[in-house]
Amino acid sequence: MTHAVEGDVLVLDLPATPVFLPVLRTATAGLATRLNYGLDAIEDLRVAVDEAASLILTAAQDPTTVVNCRFDVTTEDLVISIGASDIGPLPDRQSFDWRVLDALAGSVSAETSGGLTTVRLSQRLPDNFA
């Protein structure tokens, strides 16, 4: 596992195994707390990140795959990108997992480019973020 903080960016690289999902959920909750999200919003982000990471882990099917997690704090949003290279296809966008993501995050997208598949979640920063 590696990590870095670059200004308003947090980067975590984790093995593609469910054992590390609690690390990702904890990082999400800690950052959301620092950004002044309310308790319900923090829990929604934790669950959304867990679901997005699970989509990537299921598609990876190889524990030696590295899952790249990036948290970007912009002027208006928290953008969370979770991806991995050379993995199988993600489930159909109409699946239950995607419906959960759509319900919990402000916006959700997925893309594959250059062999990297990424699920991206975006949530507006709270009004009281300073």
Side-chain angles (χ1 to χ4, degrees):
M1 176 173 65
T2 62
H3 70 281
V5 177
E6 306 161 356
D8 285 340
V9 175
L10 171 65
V11 178
L12 294 171
D13 292 334
L14 306 167
T17 174
V19 172
F20 288 95
L21 285 178
V23 173
L24 188 54
R25 288 192 303 264
T26 301
T28 302
L31 181 58
T33 299
R34 183 180 77 80
L35 296 173
N36 293 330
Y37 284 97
L39 292 177
D40 289 340
I42 292 168
E43 187 60 24
D44 287 350
L45 281 169
R46 286 180 74 236
V47 172
V49 164
D50 188 74
E51 287 293 331
S54 293
L55 289 173
I56 296 294
L57 292 180
T58 300
Q61 299 177 348
D62 180 357
T64 64
T65 299
V66 174
V67 176
N68 312 111
C69 308
R70 181 180 173 105
F71 300 80
D72 289 281
V73 181
T74 69
T75 57
E76 297 178 352
D77 300 301
L78 170 60
V79 180
I80 305 169
S81 304
I82 303 170
S85 294
D86 302 320
I87 63 174
L90 296 176
D92 182 77
R93 205 40 215 247
Q94 299 304 312
S95 71
F96 178 75
D97 296 324
W98 283 106
R99 290 177 190 260
V100 170
L101 282 173
D102 287 331
L104 295 174
S107 70
V108 180
S109 63
E111 68 179 19
T112 300
S113 177
L116 176 66
T117 301
T118 303
V119 176
R120 189 164 288 112
L121 314 171
S122 180
Q123 187 69 40
R124 291 293 261 184
L125 291 174
D127 292 335
N128 62 347
F129 175 66

